[in-house]
Amino acid sequence: RGYADAERLLLFADLHGHSRRHNIFAYGCEASKSALRGAERVFPRLLADCPHFSLPGCSYKVMKSKESTGRVVVWRQFALPHSFTIEASFCGARLPSCGDAAQGGGGGGGSSSGVHFHTGHLRDMGAAIVPALVALTDPAQMRVHAILAGMAAGAEADAAAAAAALQGGGDGDEATDGK
């Protein structure tokens, strides 16, 4: 705790290989009742600039069985919204495009379903961490503010759609008939 008081702890990242799920993704910690709600999703969105990272594969739920993991302990002890386990699958990718051409893999992009990650993919993912950290430390916080604004706009649109569905009878079928 003394280090966190003396210095600003920006991010905790525990890097792992995953044996069951596909892709490269992050586990974070969702702050359900905090002024920082949503901040835990900024860093993964910055990592999504890398074509090998799966933003939809990320999870922010803190299950009771994960209370003793590094990310949860650091999140709780230091109130650090950027506390993650970043997983790279041993099973490979299931992404629409993995962009192999830049890594000399000769794949030229396209579907990466069932393709195992090679060192070029992992190097690219590691290299994507640097600009994400730069964006987090940028005094102007331009990318961070843009991400948070986009998340807020998406939440407002979801709420408006839910309200419209409730007012229209709650089944939402009106939006699907092409009118």
Side-chain angles (χ1 to χ4, degrees), residues 34-96:
S34 167
L36 296 175
R37 182 157 168 69
E40 72 277 357
R41 296 172 190 262
V42 171
F43 189 70
R45 286 177 187 262
L46 291 167
L47 291 179
D49 287 347
C50 180
H52 315 307
F53 187 77
S54 173
L55 189 58
C58 295
S59 175
Y60 305 94
K61 301 285 184 233
V62 178
M63 297 184 297
K64 191 164 183 67
S65 64
K66 300 298 181 183
E67 286 291 330
S68 64
T69 62
R71 73 178 160 92
V72 177
V73 170
V74 169
W75 172 65
R76 290 202 191 284
Q77 290 289 316
F78 298 105
L80 183 67
H82 304 295
S83 186
F84 301 98
T85 302
I86 299 174
E87 303 271 0
S89 176
F90 296 134
C91 300
R94 290 234 170 121
L95 295 169

Side-chain angles (χ1 to χ4, degrees), residues 15-27:
L15 308 177
H16 281 253
H18 202 286
S19 62
R20 290 176 292 214
R21 290 182 58 195
H22 288 83
N23 301 324
I24 300 173
F25 55 92
Y27 290 117

Side-chain angles (χ1 to χ4, degrees), residues 121-148:
H121 293 124
L122 301 176
R123 211 174 11 250
D124 287 349
M125 191 66 246
I129 291 173
V130 175
L133 288 172
V134 169
L136 282 178
T137 59
D138 174 23
Q141 295 280 291
M142 292 174 59
R143 290 215 48 216
V144 171
H145 291 309
I147 288 169
L148 290 171

